[in-house]
């Protein structure tokens, strides 16, 4: 089977998602918001990130894919310093990430993060989950924060659940709340670490739809995901990682129809069957 | 063939009589099976042997308000040892005509405690109420202002001392324990090792020896001329001891919180203090309510160990009463009374624990 064929099948398979998203226009500036230069990271002896170089401009949307254990999560967790790095530089919103925890906290407030397992705060209601950051980090008055939170809950189509606790929601609903929780901080960048891979199949679409709407609003996004339909419809660039390196980087069209490296071809053939 | 009759097609039937009412209850709970029936019979036999004799001793033959001599003549329980010495047992050497002060304090404390049991009453006003209450107690007990006679702490005794040691012991030990638990998890090596050393040292020593140290050794290290009140020293020993145990329980709770909670809190930009206060501790402390309350209960009971350094807590006043030749020999009754007081205290704490688990 040729690559065009494989890609076409993926295209068909994900057409549902594609249809729900209007073509997202290119509004990428040339202003870099994230710069990663010569990044290396080790876990003990294990060299998990090897010479990563990446610049993300404002408004740009990047999808990162690659086999399990290739370092995708570690890379995006370095961007808000949930992991520290040993060599190279990471500059986010003109602040370089160092051991200075105050600067790190400042960057974290500007960078939203959505986890595979949602990580909502189970002892707080949905609304309280959303207002926590704005009230305590941004020092916004509670009433105002709640108003904003309700707006974002509406945006992720879940306003009626505001008074419930996360444990009372389905996985898809929880992930949408998690997205809204990040949005309430009015972040400049959103990071997604396999946001749909812990979800039951029927809930994947509702979360992807929300992410597509977010893309249409021009949010800068880095998404670790194997949802190729999503990558096609919103990404400006697709990165392929393997063994801690960025092996290939291209526009989605080129990436899927014309992969250059053997490892990429192998990987695509595996996820596209 | 006739269809198998299904009695009463669909209408509402009452269940068979044998599952209902008293008979049903007895069957289900006492005689469901040979083994359970046997156990029931044995327990009944034991109860029948002891309960009537206990009732006869405690109630029918019991003497409630006589002299010691009167007790000896009657054959039953001598509750007079309690009733006749009640005020000494409860208040020790606190001057007789001033004892309304400790009564008021204990009443105030119990009122506040009872009201605080419902989590929905927890708000800023309750905090102020406790502050005011403690202030009033702090003024009433020693006196010395507002025309109240000064009563030196050495004369405080009985239930006041027990409650004082417990209340301050537990409320101070809890936050200290939480801080120690956080210290033990700290990334700063100095903080971490200090916490570990403290916790392990204290846990390796029985409370009695800490109390001895507090009362005998500690004064040796103080500069000449400075003395620290004996009650205060015992109080410090109790706090330090209890805190180490609370720290370990809280650490268990902290370990039960998934890493994702820390990461989610951090990725919102919360600093360490806020992350702990708003996200981690509320969840961790809730998980460890039952073991924490166990520790608080045993700490409450352990305050009775202060007898060995000569403080007049509830146990000591009872012992002193029993040393009086008139009341010698009635320790069963006197200690039963103390046991009831301790039981009420412990039981209300474990009740509180269950309520908190349910409602928080
Ligand atoms: N905290 C850690 N300590 C040690 N090794 C880790 C840690 N986190 C991840 N790793 C290892 O680093 C590699 C990359 O992990 P990860 O970034 O999660 O991969 P991916 O998200 O691409 O599946 C894996 O081999 C994983 O086992
Ligand atoms: Mg991963």
């Amino acid at each position: 089977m040729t690559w065009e064929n494989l890609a076409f099948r993926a295209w068909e398979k994900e057409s549902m998602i594609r249809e729900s998203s209007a073509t997202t226009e290119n509004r990428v500036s040339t202003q870099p918001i994230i710069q990663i230069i010569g990044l290396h990271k080790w876990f003990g002896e294990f060299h998990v990130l090897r010479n990563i170089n990446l610049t993300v401009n404002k408004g740009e949307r990047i999808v990162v894919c690659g086999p399990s254990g290739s370092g995708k999560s570690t890379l995006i967790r370095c961007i808000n310093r949930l992991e520290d790095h040993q060599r190279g530089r990471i500059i986010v919103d003109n602040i370089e990430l160092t051991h200075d925890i105050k600067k790190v906290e400042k960057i974290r407030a500007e960078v939203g993060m959505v986890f595979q397992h949602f990580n909502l705060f189970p002892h707080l209601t949905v609304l309280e989950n959303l207002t926590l950051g704005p009230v305590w980090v941004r020092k916004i008055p509670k009433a105002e924060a709640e108003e904003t939170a309700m707006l974002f809950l509406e945006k992720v189509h879940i306003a009626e659940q505001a008074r419930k606790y996360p444990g009372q929601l389905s996985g898809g609903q929880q992930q949408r709340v998690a997205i809204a929780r990040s949005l309430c901080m009015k972040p400049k960048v959103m990071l997604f670490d396999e946001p749909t891979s812990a979800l039951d199949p029927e809930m994947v679409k509702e979360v992807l739809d929300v992410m597509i709407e977010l893309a249409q609003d021009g949010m800068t996004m880095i998404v670790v995901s194997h949802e190729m339909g999503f990558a096609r419809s919103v990404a400006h660039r697709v990165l392929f990682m393997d063994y801690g390196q960025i092996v290939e980087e291209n526009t989605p069209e080129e990436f899927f129809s014309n992969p250059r490296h053997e490892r990429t071809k192998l990987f695509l053939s595996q996820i596209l069957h | 063939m006739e269809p198998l009759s299904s009695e009463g097609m669909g209408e509402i039937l009452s269940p068979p009589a044998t599952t209902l009412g008293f008979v049903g209850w007895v069957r289900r709970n006492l005689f469901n099976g040979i083994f359970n029936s046997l156990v029931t019979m044995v327990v009944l036999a034991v109860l029948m042997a002891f309960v009537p004799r206990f009732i006869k001793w405690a109630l029918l033959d019991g003497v409630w308000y006589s002299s010691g001599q009167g007790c000896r003549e009657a054959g039953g329980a001598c509750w007079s040892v309690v009733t006749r010495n009640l005020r000494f047992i409860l208040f020790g050497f606190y001057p007789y005509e001033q004892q309304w002060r400790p009564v008021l304090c204990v009443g105030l404390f119990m009122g506040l405690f009872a009201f605080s049991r419902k989590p929905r009453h927890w708000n800023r006003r309750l905090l102020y109420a406790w502050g005011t209450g403690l202030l009033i107690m702090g003024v009433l007990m020693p006196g010395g202002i507002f025309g109240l006679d000064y009563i030196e702490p050495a004369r405080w005794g009985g239930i006041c001392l027990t409650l004082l040691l417990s209340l301050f012991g537990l409320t101070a030990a809890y936050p200290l324990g939480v801080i120690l638990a956080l210290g033990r998890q700290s990334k700063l090596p100095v903080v971490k090792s200090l916490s570990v050393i403290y916790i392990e040292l204290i846990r390796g020593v029985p409370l009695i020896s800490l109390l001895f140290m507090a009362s005998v050794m500690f004064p040796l290290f103080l500069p000449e001329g400075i003395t620290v009140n004996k009650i205060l020293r015992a109080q410090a020993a109790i706090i330090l001891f209890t805190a180490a145990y609370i720290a370990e329980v809280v650490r268990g709770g902290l370990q039960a919180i998934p890493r994702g909670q820390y990461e989610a809190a951090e990725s919102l930009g919360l600093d360490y203090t806020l992350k702990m206060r708003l996200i981690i501790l509320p969840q961790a402390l809730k998980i460890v309510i039952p073991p924490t309350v166990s520790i608080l209960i045993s700490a409450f009971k352990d305050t009775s160990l202060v007898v060995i350094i000569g403080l007049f807590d509830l146990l000591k006043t009872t012992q002193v009463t029993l040393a009086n030749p008139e009341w010698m020999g009635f320790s069963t009754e006197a200690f039963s009374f103390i046991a009831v007081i301790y039981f009420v205290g412990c039981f209300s704490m474990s009740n509180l624990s269950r309520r908190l688990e349910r409602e928080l």
Side-chain angles (χ1 to χ4, degrees):
Chain A
M1 202 186 287
T2 64
W3 279 110
E4 277 80 352
N5 265 333
L6 275 179
F8 181 71
R9 278 182 49 188
W11 186 262
E12 264 189 341
K13 195 172 140 207
E14 311 288 349
S15 62
M16 194 172 62
I17 294 163
R18 196 163 46 87
E19 270 162 21
S20 70
S21 70
T23 357
T24 44
E25 49 184 300
N26 245 333
R27 263 175 296 167
V28 186
S29 68
T30 48
Q31 227 180 330
I33 182 115
I34 298 172
Q35 280 172 284
I36 301 176
I37 306 153
L39 174 71
H40 289 261
K41 174 169 178 63
W42 288 263
F43 283 122
E45 288 287 295
F46 178 52
H47 200 169
V48 55
L49 294 180
R50 302 190 287 161
N51 194 28
I52 303 279
N53 290 285
L54 176 67
T55 301
V56 181
N57 290 323
K58 277 199 180 128
E60 200 174 11
R61 294 182 292 275
I62 294 181
V63 167
V64 182
C65 62
S68 169
S70 57
K72 306 178 298 292
S73 300
T74 309
L75 173 60
I76 66 165
R77 288 158 58 86
C78 280
I79 294 172
N80 66 355
R81 213 178 168 81
L82 288 180
E83 306 282 359
D84 54 0
H85 57 278
Q86 281 89 34
R87 199 177 326 151
R89 305 177 66 191
I90 303 177
I91 299 157
V92 181
D93 197 21
N94 294 323
I95 304 176
E96 174 155 8
L97 284 166
T98 60
H99 289 288
D100 183 347
I101 188 68
K102 283 291 150 209
K103 280 186 185 165
V104 170
E105 279 158 11
K106 225 163 135 189
I107 290 174
R108 283 173 178 166
E110 305 299 336
V111 177
M113 177 109 180
V114 175
F115 301 87
Q116 184 174 359
H117 296 286
F118 331 134
N119 296 351
L120 294 175
F121 306 127
H123 62 301
L124 301 177
T125 63
V126 165
L127 192 61
E128 288 165 342
N129 265 277
L130 266 63
T131 54
L132 189 105
V135 168
W136 292 95
V137 178
R138 295 256 192 252
K139 316 274 186 236
I140 291 171
K142 189 156 176 260
E144 194 186 324
E146 284 185 353
E147 215 169 289
T148 317
M150 287 312 294
L151 282 181
F152 280 111
L153 281 179
E154 265 160 42
K155 206 166 163 52
V156 301
H157 318 297
I158 204 166
E160 69 284 359
Q161 316 280 11
R163 303 282 161 190
K164 286 195 181 164
Y165 284 88
Q168 296 166 296
L169 306 182
S170 74
Q173 290 173 322
Q174 289 192 44
Q175 193 60 298
R176 285 185 280 146
V177 172
I179 294 173
R181 176 175 68 178
S182 289
L183 292 178
C184 281
M185 291 293 287
K186 307 263 171 77
K188 295 184 174 153
V189 183
M190 287 281 286
L191 308 174
F192 295 81
D193 190 359
E194 305 207 29
T196 55
S197 56
L199 297 176
D200 291 335
E202 74 271 20
M203 293 169 186
V204 170
K205 184 172 181 291
E206 67 190 46
V207 171
L208 288 181
D209 282 346
V210 165
M211 290 169 62
I212 288 166
E213 283 164 36
L214 199 56
Q216 285 161 356
D217 293 346
M219 176 63 78
T220 312
M221 297 161 82
I222 301 182
V223 184
V224 174
S225 176
H226 294 163
E227 297 293 339
M228 291 305 133
F230 172 79
R232 275 180 182 286
S233 57
V234 308
H236 297 111
R237 274 190 284 162
V238 179
L239 307 187
F240 174 69
M241 281 186 74
D242 202 8
Y243 295 108
Q245 287 172 309
I246 297 178
V247 174
E248 184 157 350
E249 175 180 344
N250 220 328
T251 60
E253 297 77 32
E254 281 295 301
F255 183 84
F256 291 113
S257 59
N258 195 13
R260 286 180 300 227
H261 289 77
E262 282 307 315
R263 281 189 278 175
T264 318
K265 289 177 189 166
L266 183 67
F267 174 73
L268 284 177
S269 73
Q270 276 161 355
I271 60 164
L272 304 178
H273 312 297
Chain B
M1 200 178 85
E2 215 162 294
L4 284 175
S5 81
S6 76
E7 203 181 329
M9 306 277 280
E11 75 260 34
I12 295 164
L13 297 175
S14 45
T18 47
T19 63
L20 274 186
F22 181 66
V23 179
W25 184 88
V26 166
R27 269 209 190 180
R28 257 197 325 275
N29 292 296
L30 299 179
F31 294 99
N32 60 341
I34 293 176
F35 180 72
N36 282 349
S37 306
L38 265 178
V39 171
T40 303
M41 302 302 284
V42 171
V43 170
L44 269 182
V46 171
L47 283 181
M48 260 150 56
F50 285 100
V51 169
R53 277 165 66 185
F54 177 78
I55 289 176
K56 184 165 163 15
W57 173 78
L59 301 176
L60 301 181
D61 293 349
V63 187
W64 288 88
Y65 208 82
S66 68
S67 63
Q69 194 50 42
C71 267
R72 269 172 244 284
E73 281 153 16
C78 178
W79 300 117
S80 317
V81 66
V82 174
T83 52
R84 278 304 182 87
N85 298 295
L86 189 61
R87 292 179 66 165
F88 179 71
I89 291 178
L90 289 183
F91 304 117
F93 294 109
Y94 208 92
Y96 200 76
E97 62 288 350
Q98 296 290 333
Q99 283 177 4
W100 59 270
R101 281 153 59 174
V103 170
L104 214 62
C105 286
V106 173
L108 195 59
F109 169 73
M110 289 187 178
L112 281 171
F113 183 81
F115 190 76
S116 309
R117 288 177 54 207
K118 295 203 173 78
R120 67 189 155 82
H121 289 161
W122 294 0
N123 51 30
R124 210 164 278 270
R125 291 231 307 278
L126 185 64
L127 209 63
Y128 294 147
W130 270 102
T132 320
L134 288 179
L135 195 71
I136 292 173
M137 291 181 219
V139 168
L140 269 181
M141 283 301 289
I145 36 173
F146 304 129
L148 293 166
D149 290 347
Y150 176 65
I151 316 288
E152 66 267 37
R155 303 186 66 172
W156 304 359
I159 197 159
C160 291
L161 188 60
T162 299
L163 287 181
L164 183 87
L165 290 174
S166 310
L167 175 65
F168 286 99
L170 305 192
T171 45
Y174 189 70
L176 185 58
V178 171
I179 290 171
L180 281 168
L182 294 176
R184 194 166 183 166
Q185 299 226 313
S186 170
K187 287 199 189 83
L188 305 172
V190 179
V191 176
K192 186 179 172 124
S193 37
L194 281 181
S195 309
V196 172
I197 291 171
Y198 174 89
I199 292 169
E200 295 307 333
L201 270 186
I202 297 278
R203 290 205 310 163
V205 173
L207 177 57
I208 292 201
S209 55
L210 269 189
L211 287 171
F212 267 125
M213 272 193 252
S215 83
V216 183
M217 259 169 66
F218 181 64
L220 300 179
F221 301 128
L222 283 182
E224 196 101 13
I226 294 184
T227 55
V228 176
N229 178 308
K230 205 171 178 181
I231 295 181
L232 219 57
R233 281 182 270 143
Q235 179 80 82
I238 290 172
I239 292 172
L240 296 181
F241 183 79
T242 311
Y245 283 85
I246 291 189
E248 281 304 273
V249 163
V250 171
R251 185 165 72 106
L254 289 174
Q255 281 173 348
I257 305 300
R259 251 174 68 101
Q261 291 292 306
Y262 289 84
E263 290 173 356
E266 282 162 13
S267 70
L268 285 175
L270 295 176
D271 61 21
Y272 177 83
T273 320
L274 286 176
K275 174 179 70 177
M276 285 299 164
R277 186 179 127 202
L278 300 172
I279 308 299
I280 307 300
L281 283 177
Q283 296 183 63
L285 295 183
K286 188 188 167 188
I287 303 176
V288 296
I289 286 174
T292 308
V293 174
S294 289
I295 287 173
L296 297 185
I297 285 175
S298 58
F300 170 60
K301 290 183 291 188
D302 284 351
T303 57
S304 59
L305 289 175
V306 296
V307 287
I308 62 141
I309 59 167
L311 291 185
F312 275 78
D313 83 322
L314 204 49
L315 204 59
K316 186 72 179 175
T317 54
T318 310
Q319 283 179 344
V320 168
T321 306
L322 290 169
N324 180 343
E326 188 182 354
W327 301 107
M328 226 177 256
F330 298 114
S331 49
T332 314
E333 293 85 342
F335 285 129
S336 305
F337 174 66
I338 302 301
V340 168
I341 292 184
Y342 271 104
F343 177 77
V344 170
C346 295
F347 188 68
S348 42
M349 279 197 264
S350 67
N351 241 336
L352 177 64
S353 151
R354 261 174 289 154
R355 183 190 282 265
L356 292 186
E357 274 173 69
R358 213 174 40 236
E359 294 183 12
L360 279 186

